[in-house]
Structure formats: structure tokens, C-alpha cells
Amino acid sequence: MFNRNRCRRRLAAIASLSLVAGCSALSSGSSDDRRPIVVGTTSAPTTLDPAASWDNSWELFRNVYQTLLNYPNGATEPGPDAAEQCRFTDATTLAYRCAVREGLTFSNGHKLDARAVKYSFDRIKRMNVPGGPAGLLGSLDRVEVKGDREVVFHLDKPDATFPFVLATPAMSIVDPADYPATQVRRDGKVTGSGPYTLESYRDGKEARLSGNTRYKGYAHRRNDAVTIRYFKDSSAMVQALRGRKIDVTYRGLGASDVVALQEHSSDEDIQLVENSGIEISYLVFNPKDPWTGKAAVRKAVAQVVDRAAIAHNVYRDTVDPLYSMIPAGLTGHTTAFFDDFGEPSTAKARKILSRAGINRPVPLTLWYTTDRYGSETAPEFKELKRQLEDSGLFRVTLESRPWKSYVVGYQKGEYPVFGRGWFPDFPDPDNYIAPFVGEQNALGTPYPQPRITGVLLPSSRRESDRAKVVDAFEKAQQILVDDTRLLPLWQGKQFVAASEDISGGERALDPSTIMMMWELHRKTSW
């Protein structure tokens, strides 16, 4: 258990979408020290082009590009950024109008106007990159420009979540002069209008950001420059923090490192800020595989897997067992998998297989990525292998790849079972269901489910009061249990570890747990 006695390390109990309120020591004023804030993470971008990414590349995008809407001042509802204002034009939620801020320019001095906005959205839909964000625009029919500053998004179906979509980094506005209309930009450069410019980038190694003097938006930048360093594993990242080679660590802290930092932070002049998380981890079953294409095999795996053992033995209780794709704290969360399967049971799993005529151990290959979700990923899959093989019902082979080649593999359908994590695009239950179903989804594995995509999601999107969508999402989650194409494992927490002279860690995460680098700064005094 964590030591909660010292103010500096107090981990406040908060609502799931609120940021931790730090002690007064974390909230002092900004400093005149102009050294770059150095941030470490294990999540390197897969691309620098927003039209090609539906993953943690968004961490960088949030800071160098600009979206029409964002989450100003820790809000959980989208507010204006590149837009001066946005609104639905009537009660049908079929037309969404935005007025672009006057006088916006890209970092190269080119004009950012309504035409650039339309170009950026049309480009995403036209390119339709596999694994890219076009799926987020499923309700968008066309974009209309009226003059230099007015943009109207015409939807082909009601979608109350559309403002949340506009606030995702996937909808970053790009310069038409620098981003080809039909292909991904590949020169390793960025032309954006966000709080920072990308001064240099070394793939998988480092991104150097400097303040964008042309930026006009809601963000108040509290530092002049940030360097992001990408690490292969948590232990090396924490070692760099302890050695003062980086100032802040985020995304990818391993459980053992979190516990060690908590126990020794006072001795090492390191602060650890906990943020309640809405990150989830889950398994994906490939229906085209001879074995995982059988519902009985998928359900038998679901019956054997012991989430509590994974959370305790591997993650040392820094994560919580999860029994639905929608995490605790969000509207519509249930415990549907536990309700149907109960406690892990080899006897029940054997009956499931036997009724399907499967009376010998099932061969399964489980795939995971080596450099995306933290250093506990490999031990987690070893624990899954142990659990499944100890049942006597499965023979398990483990395989792994680095993230960039891992993505290519699952998009080609190469993996029978593979692990994924999900950091939400936006904090709404829709975003834990919609991205994973349909012919085109974030998994690269088609999952046609007409009851969800044709009935439940459309009905929920007609409801602007999100408290009234519980019934639709409870039904959707039960369908996911019945199909068992996805198997939720755990819900994580977010930790920011920083040197004692850094402030802003308690404010630096937006509701989608993306780091807003502009909130970080050095303290003027202790």
C-alpha cells in the first residue's frame, strides 16, 4: 500500500475525470529559468502526421498542433481553442458551426483560416489511412466554408459527441501548403499552430519543442521550451529521473517503479502525483483464426483469466481489475463480464469447450508489444500464459514485437490473440465502444456488430444529456460479453513523477490523460 502521510505525496481521492489537487508546494509561480523542461515517456509517436494516427502520437500533437476545441483550464467539456466559438445550429445535432479565431497563422506564417480547417478534415477522410482517425468522423458528411472564418460541419446522423471528436488531437489543423492532400507527410517536420513548434525530431529518441510566438489560443504557456525523450522501458526512464537527466516522467511508469518512487520519494527529492485513470487494457481475439474464431474458445479464455491476480501479482495493485470495456467512473460502466462468468473456473471453462466438441488442449499464440505499455507488459503475458496453461485447457505460445511492427501485424490480421491498451480519445462511454466495432475500427480487425453500430450508438448520440445514455451502453456491453471478441483486463491509474523543483504536474493532464506540456514550469522557491 502507498504511504499517504506526507502532504507532498498525498494521493487525493477524486472523481474519475478530475485532476489531482496537489499540495501547495506543487503550485508555486513560474520561474525565469529558461532551461527546457525535459519529459520522459515510453510512448514514442508512430507518425508526425495527424491524418495517419489513432494512438499515443497524440501526446506530441496536442502540443504542436491546434484543434478547434480543447479542454481549457482542466474542463471536462470541450471549449474553444483555434475556434472563437462553436455550437450546434439546431436541436437535431446535424449541423455544427465554428467561427475560427481572427488572425491565426501557422508556425511558418501562413494563414490559418476556414479553408485550412476544411482541408484538414477532408484530407483525413480522403486518405482514410488504415489505423488512422477517419473512423472518428463516421458521422461527418461534409464540411462547408462560409467566408474566411466560418466552418459548418454537416453530419449525416445526429451526433452529440461531435464536439468531443473535434477536441481530439486527431483533428489537428494542418497547413495545406505542407501536407499533401492524398498522402502522409514524411519529411520528419511539423507545421502547426499549437503552443510549441517542433524544432527537431529524432524518431524514437527525442523531440525538441520551443515556444510558438505566433500561437493564439486558450493555453497559457509557463515554460519556453520542452524536450521529450523516448525510452524503451520504465526502469531506464526512472533511472534518468533519479540522475537528473530528465525532469518529469509520464506514460509508461512500471508498477514496481511507481511503488519504489512512492516509498523513497522523500529521500530522492522526487514528487509523485497520482491521477485517477481511465486507461484500460484488454485482449483482442481474431475471428479469422481457426481457434479464436470459435466462440467457445474465447469464452473459455474469459472463464479462466484471473484479473485480480494480474492486478496484484504483476501490477502490485497500481491497477484495478476491469469487467467491462467502459471503465469505472464513466456513465454506463458495468461489471458485465463478472456477472456472466463469475470467478475464474477451470471446471466451467472445460464445460464450455466440451459442449463445443473441443476435448484437447487448445493451441493459442498470444502477442504483445515490447515498448508501448510499460515494463509490466511481458510479465502480464507470462501470467496469462501461466493461468491458461495451469487450467490444462490451453497450450500457449508468447510472441512480441516493438510497437511499430506490432501495429502492422495486427492490422494485417496476423495475430490470433493480441494485447492492446486504450487511452480515450475523449471522456465519454461512446469512446470505449465505438472505436472497436464496425468494419473499420481502431484495432484493424473488423468487428461487424449491427445492433451496436446501427441502433445503440446512433440512439445514444441523439442524446445531448449524457446521463441519459446508460441503458444503451449497458446493452452494448452485454453484446460485447456475448460475443467475447474483446476481453477487458484492467483499469489503470496515471502517475506523474517529477523532480522537486518542477511545478504543474497536478494540472498537466487533460481529461483524456494527454500531457499539456505548457503547464510544467520550474519553481521560483520551495
Side-chain angles (χ1 to χ4, degrees), residues 204-472:
K205 301 292 185 182
E206 182 181 86
R208 290 182 177 267
L209 315 183
S210 63
N212 179 11
T213 58
R214 300 178 185 272
Y215 171 71
K216 291 183 179 180
Y218 83 93
H220 173 61
R221 190 166 37 78
R222 307 188 72 185
N223 60 64
D224 293 312
V226 171
T227 296
I228 306 172
R229 291 186 181 155
Y230 302 110
F231 291 84
K232 295 295 185 183
D233 57 64
S234 173
S235 58
M237 184 169 65
V238 172
Q239 185 177 1
L241 177 67
R242 287 174 166 147
R244 300 295 186 263
K245 294 180 180 178
I246 62 175
D247 300 303
V248 182
T249 67
Y250 176 59
R251 199 73 90 190
L253 276 176
S256 58
D257 291 313
V258 169
V259 173
L261 285 169
Q262 181 61 34
E263 291 173 347
H264 302 293
S265 60
S266 60
D267 303 324
E268 299 178 310
D269 294 328
I270 292 173
Q271 51 186 313
L272 184 67
V273 178
E274 178 186 331
N275 187 51
S276 64
I278 46 179
E279 165 199 4
I280 67 170
S281 177
Y282 57 98
L283 295 178
V284 183
F285 295 98
N286 186 346
K288 294 185 178 180
D289 179 79
W291 286 106
T292 56
K294 303 176 187 293
V297 170
R298 303 194 299 268
K299 291 179 182 294
V301 172
Q303 186 64 73
V304 168
V305 167
D306 188 340
R307 297 166 176 81
I310 293 171
H312 181 70
N313 297 337
V314 178
Y315 288 94
R316 301 182 65 177
D317 300 316
T318 60
V319 304
D320 295 317
L322 182 64
Y323 297 94
S324 72
M325 290 299 288
I326 298 175
L330 285 188
T331 300
H333 167 72
T334 70
T335 55
F337 273 91
F338 185 84
D339 298 342
D340 271 38
F341 292 97
E343 296 289 348
S345 171
T346 295
K348 290 181 179 179
R350 182 175 289 108
K351 287 183 179 179
I352 292 171
L353 293 173
S354 180
R355 285 197 296 266
I358 302 172
N359 297 302
R360 63 186 180 89
V362 175
L364 289 180
T365 302
L366 273 59
W367 281 83
Y368 64 92
T369 181
T370 57
D371 58 355
R372 193 65 173 180
Y373 303 120
S375 56
E376 268 72 31
T377 304
E380 175 184 1
F381 274 75
K382 289 179 182 177
E383 172 66 11
L384 284 167
K385 173 183 169 71
R386 183 196 67 77
Q387 292 178 10
L388 293 170
E389 291 192 333
D390 282 358
S391 72
L393 303 175
F394 301 94
R395 294 197 316 272
V396 178
T397 301
L398 296 182
E399 297 284 355
S400 62
R401 286 176 177 170
W403 176 251
K404 282 195 172 183
S405 57
Y406 184 74
V407 171
V408 174
Y410 73 65
Q411 288 177 348
K412 290 182 177 179
E414 294 178 0
Y415 312 148
V417 190
F418 61 96
R420 281 293 310 269
W422 185 250
F423 297 93
D425 305 324
F426 50 86
D428 187 274
D430 184 285
N431 198 235
Y432 289 88
I433 302 292
F436 309 127
V437 294
E439 289 293 338
Q440 182 184 28
N441 60 49
L443 303 173
T445 303
Y447 181 6
Q449 185 27 270
R451 173 70 176 161
I452 294 178
T453 58
V455 179
L456 296 174
L457 288 178
S459 68
S460 73
R461 289 170 178 172
R462 286 192 289 269
E463 183 53 70
S464 57
D465 183 351
R466 305 307 286 164
K468 296 181 179 179
V469 299
V470 171
D471 182 64

Side-chain angles (χ1 to χ4, degrees), residues 33 61 67 71-72 96-97 108 122 138 141 188 213 273 337 363 367 433 440 452 473 504-505:
D33 189 338
F61 295 174
T67 48
Y71 295 97
Y96 195 71
R97 175 192 174 277
N108 60 7
D122 289 348
D141 180 39
T213 58
V273 178
F337 273 91
W367 281 83
I433 302 292
Q440 182 184 28
I452 294 178
F473 285 109

